[in-house]
Amino acid sequence: LIPALDLMCSAIGQGESSRMHQRLVKESRIAMEAHFGLMATSHCGLANLSLLVAPENVEAAVKECFEVIADVA
């Protein structure tokens, strides 16, 4: 289960070609940076969302992140 989650998180939010970066940074331009990843052991994990946004765009950026994740899940 953990390797599958790690792969999914990488596709969603790691690198400039990731879905999250493309949608938030390139398309909607509501974030300057967007990353999503997984730090995991064999028994547990921590999903990490990191955004660099202007204060007025925080709510919209977080909402957009959840939409990107929901599209994949």
Side-chain angles (χ1 to χ4, degrees), residues 15-35:
E16 291 184 8
S17 63
S18 70
R19 294 173 186 211
M20 192 165 291
H21 182 87
Q22 289 297 315
R23 190 136 147 206
L24 276 80
V25 178
K26 299 291 185 182
E27 294 172 14
S28 65
R29 297 179 171 249
I30 58 174
M32 293 166 267
E33 291 184 20
H35 306 280

